[in-house]
Amino acid sequence: MKKDHRAAGGPGGDGLENDDAALEKHVADALVRRGELLPTTEAEVLAAERDGVEHEGELPPGLRSLGDRPSSTGRRRASDAPRSVRDVHVHGAASQRVVSLDEVRRRRAERRSGWASHAGTFVLGAAAAAALLLVTRDVRSPHVPDDRPAGGPTASATSSSAPPTARIAVPAVQECAGTCCAGSRCAAAKGELRRCASGRTCLSCDEGAAVKSAFRVRVGDLVPAKGLPADAMPRLDVCARIAGGAWSCAPARAETTDGEAGRVLPGVVTAADLAGGIELELRARGTTQVVGRWRDAVRVGPNVLCQGAGALLADEKDGTKKDLGSLAIELAPAHWVELARAADTAPLRALRGRLDLADVDPVLVETMGPGDQRFALAVGPIDADVAERLRWALLDRGVDARVVLGADHRGAPRKLPAPTPAP
Amino acid sequence: MAPPDPRSPSLDAATDADLLARIAARAEDPAGARAAQAALYERHVRYLYGAILRQRSSLLRVVGISAEDLVQETFHRAFDRAHTFQRGEEGDPDRDRARTRAWLGRIATNLLADHAGGPREVAATPYVERVSCAGIDEEQPPSQSPRARLVAEGLDSLSEREADVLRVSALHFRAGEEHQRLPNAVSAELAARWETTSENIRAIRMRAMKKLRAFLASRGATAEEAS
């Protein structure tokens, strides 16, 4: 244990007890375990190798050979080289391991109704399908940390100006403009794209629109296949990681029935991250023993944003493949539009009372900001394009607004009552 | 005489320690050193890139360096410091490989610690100068201990800022920062990033440590582990 040489309360010192030295070491060890610090001993390296740390895909162009020493000036801030989007469609195209969501829903329905056969032809309607993903757009775990994605959106104008006194009408920002492919407000949507399990009401056909967005990835409960006995479920974890990042694990089936179903992975991701691949592993609970895998790139487009993606985890050994189960992956919106911040909620409630917003509802959010930044009036989480429309609609009407990822939001937001109609 | 092919059998059969010895002797044999550099790079770049990529949503974002830059800079620093690498007990290829990778991990960790204090000249990297092989062959990975697993669970209960501050703090701990506190320049950098003050960064760190202690206590554990 390292001795604490600092005088308590001395210059630059934190006044910590010796106990912190031991805890600090354990924190560092825990971060290595999570892949958030690099292994620095032989044993840690061997453990990381067993965990599959080695990069398996193609190296980026800058690393295919030993290049010149990187420049020390003009250092980039939090942005890796952009990846190219791999041309892999999620729904039943290039990858045989990607199962269609109809398949996921059928299996889930069969399990819930106690049917033994997975070959059933039961087809769910859109309403039941939406229920299976159990999307709750306005409840967020307080323990899910936010992460700004590489090259992601940045905040615009700051808030906290004195709110106007007159009522301000803000037009609808979620109506379908331009060419749309999916969502309940999209007249051109067909079939299962007419109602999105994700709750989105209008999705552009233009995949480029999604490139500007950040998302939270939600991984649903595992629906076991025949190859997996039902009593094995309590002993299994589903672990996920994106673009070779740190693994995040949770029970294969959620153990509580309140709150959101499935797991929201830490941080936010971009389309480029998803093109780098999502990996799922089914592991013996609390261990790194892998019993099944799935890995694929996810191309973000209207289909995936509407209905999510399905993954079929399998155990492949000696050339044979045994399906173990399937689960749904949802890309949830991650952007917030903040209208104002204040030290307490009263001025924010007053501001809310003066806004007539056609199709969005601001909420109160507690933040980790100091003093007069502690509470925020915000709309979200929403996709980047809606956030930008709302931001400009507010700015055009003299209301400060900025788009954020909610990195310092904490706890569940609080809904506000609708304002009384103007006389 | 033509320079040795990096894929020549003599280089293939050479241990990492031998390659690093050739690199260290570049003044006498520049071509041989370059071939050895290329061979060492080919052996370990995928591992190092994969390990560093795991941090792209955490430490790399906070420190503000790309994974590719960190990989390249790590290898260049490794070649500069090839003379400091200490051979282990050779004969076990897995351990030989792991030893080199652990050493590269130390260099990359210390580079991150150097970068965390804000942009600076490449030459001024005091943490990298501290890299050594001391303790590199510890038998039991502490990251696999039950205590580390429990603390890993506790980290999930922290806010993003608390987790960021502890990551950077742990980075410096691993880089050999004696006083287990954030250097003033690093506190200032984090404060600027989070639009707060250095004092608040220290308060965040204290709060995070307090939360972890409470978490451990709730599980019937304490921060002190029997040595």
Side-chain angles (χ1 to χ4, degrees):
Chain A
M1 183 188 306
K2 289 189 180 184
K3 190 175 173 184
D4 188 346
H5 295 281
R6 292 160 292 127
D14 299 327
L16 296 173
E17 303 298 330
N18 287 340
D19 189 51
D20 266 16
L23 185 54
E24 189 93 51
K25 181 182 184 311
H26 294 314
V27 169
D29 294 340
L31 289 171
V32 172
R33 179 184 172 80
R34 285 156 60 117
E36 294 180 45
L37 282 180
L38 290 163
T40 54
T41 66
E42 291 173 10
E44 286 176 353
V45 167
L46 291 170
E49 286 176 348
R50 284 192 295 274
D51 199 35
V53 68
E54 195 130 342
H55 182 71
E56 289 176 6
E58 205 171 326
L59 286 171
L63 291 184
R64 286 178 200 153
S65 62
L66 181 60
D68 292 333
R69 190 172 221 127
S71 167
S72 63
T73 58
R75 184 180 61 171
R76 280 171 288 172
R77 279 281 176 198
S79 62
D80 286 330
R83 300 169 193 270
S84 61
V85 175
R86 283 170 48 191
D87 189 22
V88 175
H89 290 273
V90 173
H91 284 292
S95 170
Q96 303 252 336
R97 294 173 299 162
V98 175
V99 64
S100 78
L101 274 183
D102 280 343
E103 182 81 23
V104 175
R105 291 166 197 150
R106 274 196 286 276
R107 293 178 185 195
R108 193 186 297 274
E110 285 161 11
R111 279 284 169 180
R112 285 187 173 173
S113 65
W115 289 9
S117 167
H118 289 285
T121 56
F122 184 64
V123 175
L124 300 174
L132 287 177
L133 275 176
L134 294 177
V135 172
T136 53
R137 290 169 61 90
D138 58 354
V139 174
R140 201 155 58 93
S141 161
H143 299 309
V144 173
D146 293 353
D147 268 321
R148 294 178 187 275
T154 56
S156 60
T158 56
S159 57
S160 299
S161 58
T165 52
R167 291 289 279 255
I168 301 163
V170 180
V173 293
Q174 299 201 77
E175 284 182 349
C176 258
T179 311
C180 66
C181 277
S184 55
R185 298 187 193 209
C186 174
K190 293 185 173 53
E192 66 175 16
L193 296 182
R194 280 184 293 189
R195 183 170 168 174
C196 293
S198 64
R200 290 179 168 96
T201 57
C202 177
L203 285 163
S204 167
C205 300
D206 174 18
E207 290 185 5
V211 169
K212 303 185 190 76
S213 255
F215 308 99
R216 293 193 175 278
V217 178
R218 184 178 292 125
V219 175
D221 284 340
L222 184 76
V223 178
K226 267 189 192 172
L228 193 66
D231 62 1
M233 290 288 285
R235 299 194 298 275
L236 294 172
D237 284 341
V238 167
C239 299
R241 71 174 176 179
I242 297 173
W247 287 100
S248 173
C249 298
R253 181 169 282 160
E255 286 157 353
T256 56
T257 53
D258 55 339
E260 295 177 327
R263 271 76 50 186
V264 177
L265 299 185
V268 293
V269 299
T270 63
D273 293 327
L274 294 164
I278 299 179
E279 293 173 76
L280 299 172
E281 288 185 352
L282 196 59
R283 298 181 186 174
R285 178 153 306 173
T287 75
T288 55
Q289 181 199 350
V290 178
V291 300
R293 282 192 170 89
W294 174 87
R295 179 185 181 161
D296 213 333
V298 173
R299 181 168 171 163
V300 179
N303 280 351
V304 171
L305 291 174
C306 185
Q307 300 294 2
L312 181 58
L313 287 92
D315 179 18
E316 293 184 53
K317 261 189 216 149
D318 304 321
T320 61
K321 187 175 125 178
K322 182 169 92 170
D323 289 343
L324 297 176
S326 52
L327 54 77
I329 300 170
E330 184 208 347
L331 303 182
H335 299 265
W336 292 79
V337 176
E338 283 192 2
L339 284 71
R341 287 204 176 195
D344 59 69
T345 62
L348 300 175
R349 291 176 188 274
L351 174 59
R352 171 65 186 105
R354 286 190 280 276
L355 293 171
D356 292 325
L357 295 138
D359 62 353
V360 292
D361 286 316
V363 292
L364 284 177
V365 181
E366 187 186 8
T367 79
M368 290 175 284
D372 61 353
Q373 301 285 304
R374 186 171 168 206
F375 294 97
L377 184 67
V379 173
I382 48 181
D383 286 320
D385 55 346
V386 176
E388 273 301 296
R389 285 201 291 276
L390 177 60
R391 181 175 79 93
W392 277 108
L394 290 163
L395 291 175
D396 284 344
R397 287 155 181 84
V399 179
D400 280 348
R402 61 177 189 156
V403 179
V404 299
L405 287 174
D408 68 342
H409 291 185
R410 71 168 168 197
R414 170 166 286 182
K415 286 188 180 178
L416 292 170
T420 53
Chain B
M1 188 193 307
D5 183 341
R7 291 181 184 79
S8 73
S10 63
L11 283 175
D12 272 349
T15 64
D16 286 348
D18 290 338
L19 292 179
L20 284 162
R22 287 198 203 193
I23 294 167
R26 54 185 165 274
E28 290 91 31
D29 179 10
R34 279 196 298 278
Q37 286 175 359
L40 195 79
Y41 181 83
E42 276 195 38
R43 284 185 191 181
H44 299 293
V45 63
R46 285 182 175 280
Y47 162 81
L48 188 62
Y49 183 56
I52 286 173
L53 262 191
R54 288 176 155 192
Q55 302 175 37
R56 72 194 290 267
S57 63
S58 54
L59 264 179
L60 296 191
R61 172 185 55 81
V62 172
V63 172
I65 184 172
S66 74
E68 288 91 334
D69 276 356
L70 184 58
V71 168
Q72 289 278 8
E73 194 165 350
T74 298
F75 274 104
H76 281 290
R77 289 310 183 116
F79 301 152
D80 287 345
R81 300 182 60 75
H83 61 285
T84 67
F85 182 78
Q86 291 167 6
R87 285 175 191 264
E89 290 177 17
E90 286 167 12
D92 182 342
D94 284 344
R95 296 225 26 196
D96 287 347
R97 181 188 68 246
R99 188 180 188 86
T100 308
R101 292 176 174 186
W103 185 65
L104 290 171
R106 291 179 177 208
I107 293 173
T109 295
N110 287 33
L111 275 170
L112 279 172
D114 281 320
H115 280 295
R120 60 168 84 202
E121 293 297 326
V122 168
T125 47
Y127 285 110
V128 173
E129 300 309 312
R130 299 187 196 182
V131 169
S132 77
C133 289
I136 207 167
D137 48 10
E138 271 179 13
E139 284 294 328
Q140 167 64 29
S143 56
Q144 304 298 312
S145 71
R147 185 72 68 233
R149 289 176 62 179
L150 203 55
V151 171
E153 277 185 51
L155 289 172
D156 284 335
S157 67
L158 302 180
S159 69
E160 186 198 3
R161 279 208 298 192
E162 288 166 351
D164 264 355
V165 171
L166 281 198
R167 272 188 209 105
V168 175
S169 185
L171 172 71
H172 285 80
F173 176 88
R174 280 244 157 174
E177 175 60 45
E178 192 175 318
H179 299 294
Q180 294 98 43
R181 67 169 177 84
L182 288 173
N184 290 338
V186 177
S187 286
E189 184 77 3
L190 281 174
R193 191 177 300 277
W194 283 103
E195 296 177 351
T196 182
T197 62
S198 295
E199 287 71 29
N200 200 31
I201 292 293
R202 294 197 183 93
I204 289 169
R205 181 169 172 274
M206 288 177 71
R207 189 167 64 230
M209 296 291 267
K210 190 174 168 185
K211 271 190 188 176
L212 276 180
R213 274 195 289 272
F215 178 84
L216 291 174
S218 73
R219 297 293 192 100
T222 63
E224 289 275 346
E225 184 172 16
S227 55

